[in-house]
Amino acid sequence: MTNPALDALAAAEVEHRVIQHGPVRSLEEAAAARGVEIPDVVKTIVVRRGDDDFLFALVPGDRVISWPKLRALLGVSRLSMPDAATAKEATGYERGTITPFGSAKPWPVIADERLRGRTVTLGAGEHGIAVAVDADAAVEALDAAYADITDPEAAH
């Protein structure tokens, strides 16, 4: 099996385990299918800083981006999330499959500090496939930074 995400992981020499789990419709289903806890299902969020200027935020499954924290970290007054078509154009990946590995452009990556020292799962560029990786090795390979960029997800 090969795709841009898996090729990029291999090229970066990041140890990873491919998990093929088929379609999932929620974070809970993804966690169950991957055999991990919800916090270990990392959401890769594409954030727009400006015209043709994006970044990736790696967010634990049980948390959400804190827009005030992220704006303060980046020193900007406005950030937004692109629509699905713009996200695909910026990354080469469809929503639900987005990963910083093998992205159409190597946008900057900020990982929530709560991922430090953990084994996590990331999207792998195709629906129904994920990779389990050491978060620290992935962050290093992506030349990413850790920061406090999330808040607990509000109870439903």
Side-chain angles (χ1 to χ4, degrees):
M1 168 179 292
T2 183
N3 70 28
L6 297 176
D7 292 348
L9 278 160
E13 298 181 356
V14 174
E15 278 190 44
H16 61 281
R17 178 173 51 88
V18 177
I19 305 166
Q20 295 186 46
H21 56 64
V24 293
R25 293 184 301 279
S26 68
L27 206 61
E28 293 77 14
E29 282 186 22
R34 297 175 185 183
V36 299
E37 298 296 317
I38 288 175
D40 297 324
V41 176
V42 173
K43 301 176 282 191
T44 301
I45 310 293
V46 180
V47 177
R48 181 200 309 256
R49 284 194 283 200
D51 289 341
D52 199 35
D53 183 13
F54 300 89
L55 62 96
F56 292 110
L58 301 182
V59 177
D62 61 340
R63 299 184 68 85
V64 296
I65 288 179
S66 166
W67 295 105
K69 289 178 185 176
L70 192 54
R71 284 193 304 267
L73 177 73
L74 297 171
V76 298
S77 59
R78 190 170 180 281
L79 295 169
S80 63
M81 286 178 58
D83 62 31
T86 304
K88 181 166 187 194
E89 187 179 308
T91 66
Y93 297 121
E94 290 180 26
R95 274 224 178 113
T97 72
I98 294 173
T99 174
F101 287 100
S103 173
K105 289 191 180 174
W107 302 114
V109 180
I110 301 172
D112 186 69
E113 64 185 14
R114 289 153 195 88
L115 300 177
R116 194 186 305 270
R118 298 190 15 218
T119 297
V120 298
T121 63
L122 294 169
E126 294 178 38
H127 290 287
I129 301 173
V131 290
V133 296
D134 175 82
D136 295 340
V139 164
E140 184 176 333
L142 292 164
D143 197 23
Y146 279 116
D148 178 11
I149 59 166
T150 65
D151 288 324
E153 185 149 25
H156 297 295

